[in-house]
Amino acid sequence: MSRTRALLVDFADPPRRASGAGVLLCCVGLAAVIAMAASFERSAAERARLDGQIETLSSRHRPAQEDPLRAKQQAEVAKMDRELDIPWTRLLAELESASTDMSSKVSLLQVEPDADKHTVRITAEVRSLPDGLAYLERLQQSKVLRYPLLESHEHLKDDPEHAVRIKLVAEWQG
């Protein structure tokens, strides 16, 4: 009878002893990591210092932050400036001249300019619609107003003379 030998199954390698070259290579790698970390730390500190200098220099040249009250005041001043640019003298003289040319058949009720759009809305009363259309034709010949248009008309039933209220819109030159 033959003797069977016991089979030893060990899937783990036996521990090996580190060689001198491996230990030396590990130490060199650790020293390189430490050197890189120190270099990174110096670069980060230098960048923080330079960012601080940039912020200091840019804050000197940056305009002061505008507060909302100042912005609102500037908007109001700009609006008043646009309204002052309305050629009131020429507009009113032209409207008065056109009314006079119509033998006073036109009564101006309201003149409402829109400075942003360079338009003016005119509300007037005339004795009849043909008088209103004649007034419109007269305004179309104006050198101050461009593109006068009849926006609406309304017969006033409560008025004993049955006048007509007309609304015109036109652009002004200038």
Side-chain angles (χ1 to χ4, degrees):
M1 183 159 186
S2 67
R3 240 175 171 204
T4 56
R5 285 198 296 173
L7 182 61
L8 181 63
V9 177
D10 186 10
F11 292 106
D13 278 341
R16 293 186 192 167
R17 217 168 153 202
S19 66
V23 171
L24 181 63
L25 187 59
C26 187
C27 289
V28 168
L30 186 60
V33 167
I34 291 172
M36 289 299 290
S39 174
F40 177 79
E41 188 65 34
R42 281 191 306 272
S43 296
E46 179 69 13
R47 180 180 175 149
R49 184 184 66 78
L50 291 174
D51 284 343
Q53 285 180 346
I54 289 171
E55 183 63 32
T56 302
L57 291 173
S58 66
S59 68
R60 290 181 191 165
H61 299 295
R62 187 179 304 143
Q65 293 292 332
E66 290 190 22
D67 59 282
L69 180 61
R70 182 178 170 98
K72 183 179 177 183
Q73 288 173 341
Q74 286 178 343
E76 288 175 5
V77 166
K79 182 180 178 185
M80 282 190 279
D81 189 38
R82 283 191 306 273
E83 287 180 6
L84 288 173
D85 284 343
I86 297 172
W88 281 109
T89 306
R90 291 180 21 220
L91 272 175
L92 294 177
E94 184 62 34
L95 294 174
E96 185 178 347
S97 173
S99 179
T100 304
D101 290 351
M102 294 295 301
S103 304
S104 298
K105 294 178 182 177
V106 177
S107 298
L108 286 178
L109 301 177
Q110 185 178 14
V111 177
E112 183 181 353
D114 184 347
D116 294 331
K117 297 178 183 176
H118 277 251
T119 60
V120 62
R121 292 192 182 285
I122 303 161
T123 305
E125 282 187 8
V126 293
R127 292 183 184 164
S128 65
L129 187 56
D131 290 338
L133 295 175
Y135 183 65
L136 176 64
E137 286 178 15
R138 167 58 182 83
L139 290 178
Q140 288 174 343
Q141 297 170 7
S142 169
K143 293 185 182 348
V144 177
L145 297 174
R146 294 186 332 185
Y147 315 121
L149 298 172
L150 178 64
E151 196 172 62
S152 67
H153 71 283
E154 172 187 5
H155 291 276
L156 302 176
K157 299 197 184 331
D158 295 339
D159 189 347
E161 295 181 18
H162 300 292
V164 177
R165 180 168 293 156
I166 59 172
K167 292 186 180 182
L168 308 171
V169 64
E171 293 180 15
W172 71 73
Q173 307 260 8

